[in-house]
Amino acid sequence: MSLDLNEIRVKQVNGVSALKEGELHAFGVFTVNDLMEYYPFRYEDYRLRSLAEVKDGDRITVQAKIMGMPVLQRYGRKSRLTCKMVAEDWMFTATWFNRHFLKDQLTAGREIVLTGKWDQRRSQLTVSESEFPDRGTLRSGSLQPVYSVGGKITQNWMRKTIGQALQQYGEMIPEILPPELLKKYSLMPRRQAIWRIHQPQDSEEGQQARRRMVYEELFLFQLKLQAYRAMNHERMDGVKHEVDNATIREFVRSLPFELTDAQKKVELEILQDMRSPFCMNRLLQGDVGSGKTVVAAIALYAAVKSGHQGAFMVPTEILAEQHMRSLSRLFEPFGITVGLLTGSVTGRKRKDLIASMQMGLTDIVVGTHALIQEDVFFRSLSLVVTDEQHRFGVNQRSILRRKGFNPDVLTMTATPIPRTLAITAFGDMDVSTLSERPKGRKPISTYWVKHHMMDRVLGFIQREVSAGRQAYLICPLIEESEKLDVQNAIDLHVSMQQAFPNLNVGLLHGRMTAAEKDEVMRSFYDNEVQLLVSTTVVEVGVDVPNATLMIVMDADRFGLSQLHQLRGRVGRGEHASYCVLIAEPKSEVGQERMKVMTETDDGFEVARRDLELRGPGDFFGTKQSGVPEFRIADMVSDFAVLEAARDDAAQLVGDASFWTSPQYEPLRGYLQREQVFQGELID
Ligand code: ADP
Ligand code: MG
């Protein structure tokens, strides 16, 4: 058995010092295998061209012979060096800027390889790089990989080091995919693909190498999910919730509204999972305002009525408080107790709560990350709900799972992901979708206005408030600086107080203490505050049905999905609602983005248009969406491959020989490394 490249530290590659090794860690490169899988994102073409076939303006590489004497002109510290050249029968002038030191090397008759921009009309090449073949060439004549580099790691160093790694260890690269799959898609063997992706002879070969590695990456990803899922589906050690329909109906009847058909359907899917001995792992997606919380409430109710406990984990304290309040109200008539565990619950209070959870006196706990601290335990946790799932890593969710005995897991998200993509990207989960909003909701009218119309916007606020409604005013977002965000909010708050002396204007931002935030939110819920000036801390989940106006300052600084989330804070009750985006985007795309918001309030449509505007590759831009990131594959443009890989992986996992036959040993080894057999998924 050859050495495993995953176990050889990158320091073993010649030329990697301890210092450089540290730098490589920042790129996620720890082992020789990591380095080999550090793929270029494009190639630079240094292949030799003939001047007969190039076009004006092309970036080209040619081999030429030096003709006359070089001419150097100096302009202060700048310089311009020109020299006559001949390539085949073509005479042309090569021009260098600020390379005066080359002058002495330009001796007549010497061969030189030049790369630069070709000016057809003047028969001139503006040189960016040059090499002399008699000194041994590095780049010319080939496609050169371009890596993402930074810090002390330069492009040339990376090229050289990966080349060195291939020299030292290239022969040891093992195949991992089974032969039938290689054959099915005519894929390159792994060893060849890794060599060629770094050092392709031509772009076709580079493409083929990439195709192989994309498939491999997506296949392994799917295999991991499917294997995990298969093992968990086989495990019958989930909690079998015993709750009859009559009991559920009693609770549903107590709700202040009738469930939508979509809610009823999803509820059935969830109850069916909960009643089965398998572990539920379900993703519930629904646009903002589609009523996910009440679905979660019914599931929590079912858990408690089966004699167990439930946990509800949310990303912010504000949201935790809100859910705590609304769940307490819903559950009170049924004698179900709800506790709150956030970072600001400390000391005696925290101790008492945890003790009560351990004794089973508290039925449901709503909380933030504080829920996954080490010393938090339940007597019998059987259901974990997480809201706005994209805020949690898989690992955090799995820690919470371990606080019970294989509890069922329900994950809720408003990030609109096309259903097929969701199923494929979250291959380890079943997916339910809330496809409609509650009846009687009016669409949210969205307007895009310029800054100079602020007076009219203020008039709008006055009008809504006079009608008994409430409004949000979201401050501009200052990238990377929460401090400036806060300052903005404070300033805006002052000017709004001056503009509306007769109103109560509230202020909410991230630097306030939990108690302060809570106080402000409470007064907003109770309509003691009519206008709430806030940073994006209200972005997710906040539910105040009487609020009907959402105003976003400098809206062009926000992402579309973020704007959609913000807009989702209104339109949650029976009153007509409005969203006003104040923005003056300069770019065409920026203007188009504002238009998209005014044209649709359907989250899936917003996501689709966003994709069109941004182009693939950037769809999930931020890590927020919870969609996995890949080294080489692109979730959107390689989607067809992802689907094929999913089917292949499912088939393989379903085949008994996969778990025993020696030919699948490398794949099982991979699953082992990823700790799938320990029943955990690593991010
Ligand atoms: P989200 O899906 O964005 O989390 P929520 O669960 O906060 O949405 O629900 C939005 C609002 O709609 C809440 O005020 C909730 O009480 C209300 N709601 C939920 N379901 C219904 C329904 N079937 N009919 C009327 N209102 C509903
Ligand atoms: Mg919600």
Side-chain angles (χ1 to χ4, degrees), residues 407-441:
D408 285 338
V409 173
L410 178 65
T411 299
M412 306 199 292
T413 179
T415 306
I417 300 168
R419 187 180 160 79
T420 46
L421 190 53
I423 292 172
T424 315
F426 301 103
D428 62 326
M429 295 191 212
D430 297 304
V431 180
S432 292
T433 304
L434 279 183
S435 49
E436 61 177 334
R437 293 193 212 173
K439 282 184 212 66
R441 293 278 175 80

Side-chain angles (χ1 to χ4, degrees), residues 256-260 263 286-295 322-323 387-388 412 414 434 437-439 441 541-545 568-569 571-573:
F257 43 70
E258 184 159 352
L259 293 184
T260 64
Q263 282 169 326
D287 205 348
V288 275
S290 58
K292 293 184 289 294
T293 315
V294 68
V295 173
Q322 171 184 296
H323 283 336
D387 199 5
E388 308 301 346
M412 306 199 292
L434 279 183
R437 293 193 212 173
K439 282 184 212 66
R441 293 278 175 80
V542 169
D543 183 40
V544 181
R569 295 315 110 222
R572 304 175 82 84

Side-chain angles (χ1 to χ4, degrees), residues 370-396:
L371 270 175
I372 58 178
Q373 283 161 348
E374 241 170 63
D375 58 338
V376 176
F377 292 103
F378 294 78
R379 188 178 67 87
S380 177
L381 179 65
S382 73
L383 176 69
V384 174
V385 181
T386 69
D387 199 5
E388 308 301 346
Q389 151 278 340
H390 56 285
R391 300 299 166 105
F392 291 109
V394 173
N395 282 342
Q396 289 166 322

Side-chain angles (χ1 to χ4, degrees), residues 135-151:
R135 286 232 209 106
T137 54
L138 290 168
R139 296 178 289 261
S140 48
S142 64
L143 288 174
Q144 285 294 321
V146 181
Y147 302 98
S148 155
V149 291

Side-chain angles (χ1 to χ4, degrees), residues 457-621:
V457 174
L458 296 183
F460 203 171
I461 296 176
Q462 186 66 59
R463 198 189 82 188
E464 283 303 295
V465 171
S466 302
R469 307 282 83 79
Q470 290 160 276
Y472 297 92
L473 179 56
I474 305 298
C475 311
L477 189 72
I478 309 285
E479 224 162 314
E480 312 295 351
S481 170
E482 200 203 347
K483 210 168 142 202
L484 287 179
D485 279 350
V486 168
Q487 193 52 50
N488 262 327
I490 293 169
D491 294 346
L492 198 58
H493 179 239
V494 170
S495 59
M496 286 304 118
Q497 277 176 320
Q498 286 162 353
F500 298 109
N502 55 337
L503 300 187
N504 276 332
V505 183
L507 171 65
L508 192 66
H509 60 69
R511 292 280 172 97
M512 292 163 58
T513 67
E516 288 167 346
K517 282 189 234 174
D518 192 31
E519 180 52 35
V520 173
M521 277 320 292
R522 204 181 291 276
S523 40
F524 194 58
Y525 286 120
D526 297 342
N527 199 359
E528 286 160 21
V529 161
Q530 292 83 40
L531 173 62
L532 183 61
V533 174
S534 174
T535 58
T536 53
V537 290
V538 295
E539 179 180 337
V540 287
V542 169
D543 183 40
V544 181
N546 190 50
T548 52
L549 178 55
M550 165 58 68
I551 301 162
V552 185
M553 305 286 287
D554 287 346
D556 50 330
R557 299 213 182 148
F558 297 82
L560 281 194
S561 70
Q562 205 177 6
L563 286 177
H564 183 68
Q565 281 286 337
L566 285 169
R567 175 167 61 182
R569 295 315 110 222
V570 298
R572 304 175 82 84
E574 77 263 34
H575 308 288
S577 293
Y578 311 90
C579 173
V580 179
L581 306 173
I582 304 179
E584 276 164 69
K586 303 247 174 340
S587 74
E588 220 166 284
V589 170
Q591 294 170 10
E592 199 54 40
R593 291 168 73 247
M594 291 302 113
K595 257 194 234 147
V596 168
M597 291 301 294
T598 62
E599 284 165 12
T600 178
D601 69 348
D602 173 340
F604 288 82
E605 180 65 9
V606 170
R608 196 185 64 72
R609 303 274 298 267
D610 197 17
L611 169 62
E612 271 174 21
L613 288 174
R614 291 208 244 174
D618 199 22
F619 184 32
F620 298 107

